[in-house]
Amino acid sequence: MNSHPVDPVLVDVARAARRVVVFSGAGMSAESGVPTFRDAQTGLWAQFDPTELATPEAWDRDSGLVWAWYQWRTGLVRRVQPHAGHRAVADWASRTQLSVVTQNVDDLHERAGSDVVAHLHGSLFSPRCSRCGAAHPTDGGVDTEPTGPLAPPSCESCGGAVRPGVVWFGEALPEDAWTRAVAAVETCDLMVVVGTSAVVHPAAELPILAARTGATVVEINPEATDLSRHISHTWRTTAATGLPALVDAIGGDR
Ligand code: APR
């Protein structure tokens, strides 16, 4: 039983929902210990702006530096665990039709037991060749913070440099993931938006699309965002507190 109070209107909406989308961003992973881009960076990374490392230009300029940063993030994600909010989403999905659409490049939803319909910004665990696009096996990143650049591995097919399987600023989203996300969003009657600042497009347009197609959109975020004023329900709480409380409240006397 979770004693965190939940707005009864929200509980009614969630109980009545037949098709749910959980749309998550970096704040979803924060309580697992994965820092968001906007959090202070440490060590070698303190001197770089992460939004500038996550670009094709940075890769062209210094692929070793960019590879080292992603190897560090991959290792960090591998060492942390999903939290109660991730588990609550998986639990909810076992009882209703629920699609997880995420901007996150970690695998915490999956490790909590959810199928992810769309990783809009790719994955840390699917590196690929920057030249021919062939998939390259992930090595799980590094255990200690790199003190300098790390040479990216070479593609087994063509010898090109292997790049992180994530979407960088200025790059297009994977078309299939976007199509699946839009299909889920257009047919949902409830969208729960968790831990995103809703400023990075086109992902930020999905909650607006949901609202326009008649879904109730609920935001779970300790802070107000650009989205907050467009939707009817905002809940100023965190992912690891709000989601388990909501899913417990829906379950009633389970
Ligand atoms: N629970 C819920 N929300 C939280 C929590 C928490 N514990 N902690 C922080 N937040 C919220 C913040 O208030 C903020 O609104 O999570 C949001 C994180 O915002 P961003 O760092 O901008 O993350 P996101 O919206 O996912 O960014 C979109 O930009 O950083 C790039 O490609 C990256 O996919 C990412 C995209």
Side-chain angles (χ1 to χ4, degrees):
M1 186 67 193
N2 195 305
S3 57
H4 198 73
V6 188
D7 178 351
V9 176
L10 178 53
V11 176
D12 286 346
V13 168
R15 274 201 186 128
R18 292 289 156 262
R19 296 166 86 99
V20 179
V21 168
V22 171
F23 177 52
S24 62
M28 180 81 213
S29 305
E31 287 154 287
S32 286
V34 182
T36 70
F37 272 24
R38 281 81 183 164
D39 286 334
Q41 309 290 312
T42 59
L44 170 65
W45 312 112
Q47 54 185 303
F48 299 104
D49 176 351
T51 58
E52 283 172 19
L53 282 177
T55 63
E57 292 76 23
W59 174 258
D60 289 344
R61 206 167 40 237
D62 192 344
S63 58
L65 183 68
V66 173
W67 183 254
W69 189 53
Y70 281 97
Q71 284 290 89
W72 169 233
R73 291 182 64 200
T74 305
L76 189 149
V77 163
R78 190 170 38 76
R79 290 188 301 274
V80 302
Q81 300 304 325
H83 58 61
H86 293 104
R87 291 193 295 276
V89 171
D91 179 15
W92 195 2
S94 70
R95 287 181 277 136
T96 194
Q97 182 167 344
L98 183 152
S99 303
V100 176
V101 173
T102 189
Q103 297 167 86
N104 296 342
V105 294
D106 62 54
D107 60 353
L108 293 172
H109 279 297
E110 287 94 334
R111 281 160 55 198
S114 290
D115 289 329
V116 173
V117 163
H119 270 280
L120 294 174
H121 295 163
S123 164
L124 289 171
F125 299 98
S126 57
R128 66 173 191 274
C129 178
S130 60
R131 192 194 292 160
C132 74
H136 187 85
T138 178
D139 60 6
V142 291
D143 287 335
T144 51
E145 191 159 351
T147 53
L150 292 173
S154 300
C155 172
E156 287 159 8
S157 310
C158 77
V162 171
R163 58 159 284 177
V166 304
V167 177
W168 287 324
F169 290 103
E171 290 188 314
L173 270 53
E175 216 171 293
D176 50 346
W178 178 251
T179 303
R180 288 194 302 272
V182 168
V185 168
E186 281 179 337
T187 53
C188 76
D189 43 24
L190 171 65
M191 181 190 238
V192 181
V193 181
V194 196
T196 177
S197 55
V199 292
V200 176
H201 289 261
E205 285 141 39
L206 291 174
I208 306 293
L209 174 64
R212 220 175 38 227
T213 48
T216 303
V217 181
V218 178
E219 178 180 67
I220 295 181
N221 195 314
E223 289 174 27
T225 69
D226 283 5
L227 176 68
S228 307
R229 66 197 158 86
H230 294 289
I231 57 176
S232 47
H233 297 269
T234 55
W235 190 11
R236 299 281 157 252
T237 184
T238 72
T241 300
L243 286 165
L246 177 61
V247 174
D248 256 12
I250 301 167
D253 55 6
R254 266 183 321 132

